[in-house]
Amino acid sequence: MNARAGYADVLVGLQYGDEGKAKIVDRLSVNYDIVARFNGGANAGHTVSTPSGDARLAQVPSGVFHAHTLMYIGSGCVVSLVKLANEIDALRSIGVSLKGRLYVSEQCAVIQPRHLDFDARHGAQIGTTGNGVGPCYADLSLRWQGGTRTVVQLRDLVADEAGAFDQMARYAETPHAAPDARAATAAAIADMRAAWARLGQTVEVVDALWMTQRVQRGARVLFEGAQSVLLDVTGGQQPYVTSSHTAPAFAFVGGDLPVRYHRKTIGVAKAIASRVGAGPFRTEFGAQRSSRYCADAALRGIGWREERDRFDPKALLMSEDEFDVGIALRMLTYEYGTGSGRPRRLGRLDVAGLAEVIRRHGVDEWYLNKCDCLSLFSGTREGAIPVLMPNAEGGANATTMYRFPAFGELSGDTTDAARLPLPLRAFVSALQAATACRIAGIGVGPRREQLLILSEETVNDDA
């Protein structure tokens, strides 16, 4: 490798998503020249809170608040023209300009009206966000159907805009489509045309060598995973997965960079686990009852407002019924979908599972978010933090539910890792030992300064 060349680090979520990856990316971005997305589309929901304001991101990488940092959306992503244009406008409204900073691979597939229609009719059964992402990836592999190409890439729009939109309109038609369906397709295409024109004022569409050339000249890259590793389309538990590859190894395929430039892999988890949509979740509070409740709530449009009006979370936290405890934790930690608002299923931290994921994907260091929320367990009947730990004495896959001492609420201005409560420091030390991987920092609140970078002394002293 050229001694003056740059490098790439990969950051991924280690659970089922919503671990607070954007917060870590935002904090780390100051050390990178490019923050890049390598998978997913508008089905990602990332929130960044900074002194400049809050941003809810879906397709734009989470380094937006650092003016020196370039953004890149790699070929492994699929793009919603309308949602990307709206996202850029929303950022502009809070003073964040992406002009001259946002680059998108010409090989990205475009989400079409047919993809949105298919997702609306079939996606609810596995809990998709309805953004057409899965059908778009499927059509990328299908390639051709009934004499019509099933995919449109950004390079097609650049080469022949009118022809690309005509192709999408033809593909959306079915032999017996009703007049109102044709009208809906025409309206959707019109919205996409307008969005494409708006994007042309900000976004630069680039070829497959753009990223490599930058890194060869010394650029430092942080790849940001959209969804998390347990939802990988192949490595996750089918069919309850996302529609793209989320493993860190895919960053160099979907992010358009030779793997020779890889430096390290960074993981992110959160102290109280959650999952959106259907699928196995072995530490879930309330088990199948919780799963059914959250699925029904998503279908009926029940979110945080409805739960706030119906439940008293502090009373539920003291319940003997773990289903009630899960509702209380969701309300008190505001675990609702960033984009959809649907309630997330809540579960105990699965350290045994984390250790397996860290080994499988070669994670070099990891961050643990929402440690401040662990103080809520002091208000439960047990008054302890339940965690699923690996049990070496019981064999390779054995686990034990271990209960750590709870601690009181952290001060809102906690920014010094050395002043953390001893029970929390002992908790972090135990997790680091159980995963055999360094914990680089912990989150104790939503703000940028509430990400505490840890030294070996901070983790181990007095713990």
Side-chain angles (χ1 to χ4, degrees):
M1 187 186 302
N2 185 331
R4 292 178 294 176
Y7 55 80
D9 297 338
V10 185
L11 183 145
V12 294
L14 302 176
Q15 296 160 310
Y16 293 105
D18 308 307
E19 300 96 345
K21 296 182 289 296
K23 174 182 175 179
I24 309 299
V25 172
D26 170 64
R27 175 67 179 269
L28 298 182
S29 291
V30 68
N31 300 317
Y32 296 90
D33 303 297
I34 302 170
V35 177
R37 283 277 304 275
F38 62 87
N39 75 301
N43 56 341
H46 296 169
T47 302
V48 181
S49 300
T50 77
S52 303
D54 289 355
R56 298 193 174 207
L57 307 172
Q59 297 177 99
V60 175
S62 301
V64 292
F65 283 101
H66 299 272
H68 77 281
T69 306
L70 302 181
M71 308 289 115
Y72 180 67
I73 299 175
S75 64
C77 301
V78 296
V79 173
S80 166
L81 301 181
V82 173
K83 293 210 164 188
L84 182 56
N86 290 342
E87 195 172 331
I88 292 170
D89 288 346
L91 287 167
R92 187 182 298 114
S93 73
I94 60 172
V96 179
S97 174
L98 291 179
K99 189 172 181 62
R101 296 177 59 204
L102 180 57
Y103 298 81
V104 185
S105 168
E106 66 176 7
Q107 294 174 310
C108 287
V110 176
I111 293 174
Q112 304 177 46
R114 179 158 174 161
H115 302 147
L116 294 170
D117 178 65
F118 186 93
D119 210 1
R121 287 186 286 114
H122 302 287
Q125 296 177 9
I126 56 171
T128 75
T129 60
N131 283 289
V133 172
C136 185
Y137 277 117
D139 272 349
L140 184 63
S141 296
L142 186 61
R143 296 162 291 164
W144 188 265
Q145 185 177 44
T148 300
R149 188 178 169 206
T150 57
V151 68
V152 169
Q153 294 172 292
L154 289 181
R155 58 185 171 189
D156 299 315
L157 283 167
V158 171
D160 181 7
E161 178 180 330
F165 281 119
D166 287 346
Q167 177 184 322
M168 287 188 253
R170 289 196 306 273
Y171 188 48
E173 291 182 0
T174 58
H176 305 291
D180 57 344
R182 294 193 180 96
T185 296
I189 294 292
D191 288 343
M192 292 177 69
R193 286 180 184 273
W196 177 242
R198 286 157 57 201
L199 289 172
Q201 302 169 20
T202 303
V203 174
E204 184 170 346
V205 179
V206 295
D207 64 27
L209 287 175
W210 183 87
M211 179 70 89
T212 300
Q213 290 168 345
R214 292 272 178 166
V215 174
Q216 286 175 340
R217 294 197 295 266
R220 301 160 298 173
V221 178
L222 178 61
F223 283 119
E224 172 189 24
Q227 290 78 29
S228 298
V229 295
L230 292 181
L231 298 178
D232 187 272
V233 67
T234 299
Q237 293 168 309
Q238 279 276 359
Y240 306 109
V241 294
T242 194
S243 45
S244 61
H245 287 292
T246 62
F250 187 74
F252 295 87
V253 178
D256 312 309
L257 183 68
V259 72
R260 68 186 298 184
Y261 297 109
H262 176 69
R263 188 179 70 151
K264 66 179 178 180
T265 300
I266 305 165
V268 184
K270 62 181 176 182
I272 303 176
S274 73
R275 180 165 192 172
V276 169
F281 189 11
R282 67 179 179 179
T283 62
E284 185 170 8
F285 290 103
Q288 290 301 313
R289 185 179 170 198
S290 169
S291 177
R292 289 192 297 269
Y293 169 85
C294 290
D296 181 63
L299 289 173
R300 294 168 57 192
I302 295 173
W304 69 269
R305 290 185 180 86
E306 291 76 14
E307 291 200 329
R308 177 198 60 191
D309 294 340
R310 181 179 175 188
F311 301 118
D312 177 355
K314 291 188 177 180
L316 291 183
L317 199 61
M318 287 292 295
S319 173
E320 294 181 350
D321 187 341
E322 65 174 36
F323 171 72
D324 291 341
V325 173
I327 293 176
L329 291 172
R330 174 168 56 250
M331 296 176 69
L332 294 169
T333 59
Y334 200 75
E335 286 285 356
Y336 300 88
T338 300
S340 64
R342 56 185 172 174
R344 295 170 182 159
R345 300 156 60 192
L346 270 288
R348 304 162 184 85
L349 180 61
D350 185 350
V351 180
L354 277 176
E356 180 181 339
V357 168
I358 285 170
R359 287 195 304 271
R360 178 179 178 183
H361 295 289
V363 175
D364 296 292
E365 62 189 33
W366 61 291
Y367 290 80
L368 182 64
N369 269 326
K370 301 193 81 167
C371 287
D372 52 313
C373 297
L374 293 172
S375 66
L376 293 170
F377 286 104
S378 64
T380 63
R381 282 184 174 270
E382 286 188 334
I385 304 168
V387 173
L388 190 65
M389 297 286 283
N391 182 0
E393 297 179 359
N397 299 314
T399 59
T400 298
M401 189 61 71
Y402 188 87
R403 287 164 176 80
F404 287 87
F407 52 88
E409 184 176 353
L410 299 181
S411 170
D413 60 355
T414 299
T415 57
D416 184 354
R419 296 183 180 180
L420 292 172
L422 291 182
L424 176 53
R425 293 169 66 179
F427 178 82
V428 172
S429 179
L431 266 55
Q432 180 168 272
T435 59
C437 186
R438 185 175 82 89
I439 297 180
I442 63 173
V444 295
R447 302 193 308 273
R448 181 185 289 167
E449 67 272 18
Q450 289 178 305
L451 176 64
L452 308 185
I453 305 303
L454 302 183
S455 65
E456 291 294 337
E457 291 75 18
T458 303
V459 173
N460 295 314
D461 278 4
D462 301 318

